[in-house]
Amino acid sequence: MEEAHLAWAQKKAHREDRLILFIDESGLSQRPTRVRTWALKGHSPVVQFHFNWDHVSIIAGMHLAGVTFRLHDGAIKKEEVLEFLKALKAHYRRRLLIIWDGARPHCSRRVRDYVDSTDGHIGIERLPADAPERNPGG
């Protein structure tokens, strides 16, 4: 069923001469990765590290010819999604078909109002909620 939905979106994008962009977000942290260490038998090892818990988030749009992305301090919220959509619209002169999941920032009123205000320049298709394997970004 999901394959038919995505195939329909691809045909629609071709028919309307739209660039298909898969958009998703991810976070990068300075947290250390889990490692192995040695200690004397019966003594628990203590690994000390000093860092802050700041993290950077990325929002990216992937298409057949490449990737467009932006980095942000902290989490990606509706304001960052809105800013990214505006930048995509300005960068790509052709009409866009955005394919993304149902994350909260994607569904916000401000994002929907902005998409509606583009007079069809930006079209939206959502990935099915029960099929994360259909998401090429994650």
Side-chain angles (χ1 to χ4, degrees):
M1 176 85 95
E2 293 86 10
E3 287 179 18
H5 179 74
L6 289 177
W8 175 84
Q10 185 178 15
K11 289 176 185 175
K12 177 183 176 184
H14 181 71
R15 188 173 55 249
E16 296 177 359
D17 191 33
R18 291 182 182 267
L19 175 65
I20 299 174
L21 282 161
F22 289 89
I23 293 181
D24 206 358
E25 304 83 25
S26 186
L28 309 166
S29 176
Q30 296 177 347
R31 281 181 146 163
T33 57
R34 194 171 183 191
V35 297
R36 290 184 176 202
T37 187
W38 296 88
L40 295 173
K41 190 172 187 174
H43 293 39
S44 297
V46 176
V47 178
Q48 292 185 347
F49 47 87
H50 302 282
F51 64 93
N52 59 26
W53 288 80
D54 292 341
H55 72 278
V56 174
S57 295
I58 184 170
I59 181 168
M62 181 176 70
H63 55 91
L64 289 177
V67 176
T68 303
F69 67 92
R70 286 197 166 181
L71 297 171
H72 294 277
D73 289 329
I76 300 288
K77 298 181 280 297
K78 63 185 169 215
E79 293 81 12
E80 289 79 16
V81 171
L82 190 59
E83 179 183 311
F84 189 62
L85 289 177
K86 289 177 180 180
L88 290 174
K89 183 178 181 291
H91 182 72
Y92 297 108
R93 302 267 185 238
R94 60 192 284 203
R95 293 162 39 124
L96 304 174
L97 178 61
I98 305 297
I99 299 177
W100 60 16
D101 57 22
R104 189 170 294 201
H106 302 168
C107 301
S108 75
R109 168 65 73 191
R110 287 185 65 193
V111 170
R112 286 189 318 229
D113 288 348
Y114 172 71
V115 170
D116 291 344
S117 76
T118 66
D119 295 324
H121 188 87
I122 298 177
I124 302 290
E125 287 292 329
R126 298 215 187 281
L127 291 167
D130 59 347
E133 70 278 2
R134 300 285 182 215
N135 187 345

